Amino acid sequence: HVQLVESGGGSVQAGGSQRLTCVASGYTSGTMGWFRQAPGKEREGVAAVYTSGGTYYADSVKERFTISRDSSTDTVYLQMNSLKPEDTAMYYCAARRQVLQSTWLLHPSAYSEWGPGTQVTVS
């Protein structure tokens, strides 16, 4: 059973930076991703990373966000730079014990394990 716990959320001014952390317990390998959901909107994929280190990003965050992972501790990070008010959302970490095809990397339905989320507010 995989458990995911996010941390690092909070309030930040536009143009600032923030780093989110997701610690996974009981997870071995596959795909991990970050998703976000703003009030009244659907959950959307932000970035994903394979156990191999390969990464994938939504167009809206390319060049601003960086996903990385530390396989030795099963920890995934999301470094967010040049934050905008539209980045305000609840951010969720997700995992799937499978190497997902690239077309599925940012689809919430492709992931089986989810953390409780951490709020990021940009003003």
Side-chain angles (χ1 to χ4, degrees):
H1 178 64
V2 177
Q3 287 188 314
L4 307 174
V5 178
E6 305 96 335
S7 62
S11 297
V12 62
Q13 289 188 337
S17 299
Q18 203 154 20
R19 188 175 83 157
L20 304 182
T21 300
C22 173
V23 178
S25 59
Y27 174 81
T28 54
S29 64
T31 311
M32 294 188 73
W34 283 99
F35 292 77
R36 65 186 181 186
Q37 187 167 18
K41 295 188 176 181
E42 293 186 352
R43 190 168 298 189
E44 63 173 356
V46 174
V49 60
Y50 292 117
T51 302
S52 63
T55 58
Y56 192 83
Y57 296 93
D59 289 342
S60 60
V61 305
K62 280 181 180 177
E63 308 301 328
R64 298 190 301 123
F65 290 12
T66 302
I67 188 171
S68 61
R69 64 178 296 156
D70 181 345
S71 297
S72 66
T73 59
D74 276 341
T75 302
V76 175
Y77 303 96
L78 185 68
Q79 177 65 43
M80 305 184 293
N81 299 327
S82 302
L83 283 162
K84 306 174 181 179
E86 50 263 45
D87 294 318
T88 295
M90 184 71 81
Y91 282 71
Y92 298 92
C93 178
R96 176 72 181 264
R97 288 178 177 171
Q98 180 180 348
V99 178
L100 295 172
Q101 293 185 2
S102 59
T103 53
W104 286 100
L105 284 173
L106 299 183
H107 283 256
S109 61
Y111 292 79
S112 54
E113 311 292 340
W114 292 86
T118 185
Q119 177 69 37
V120 174
T121 303
V122 185
S123 59

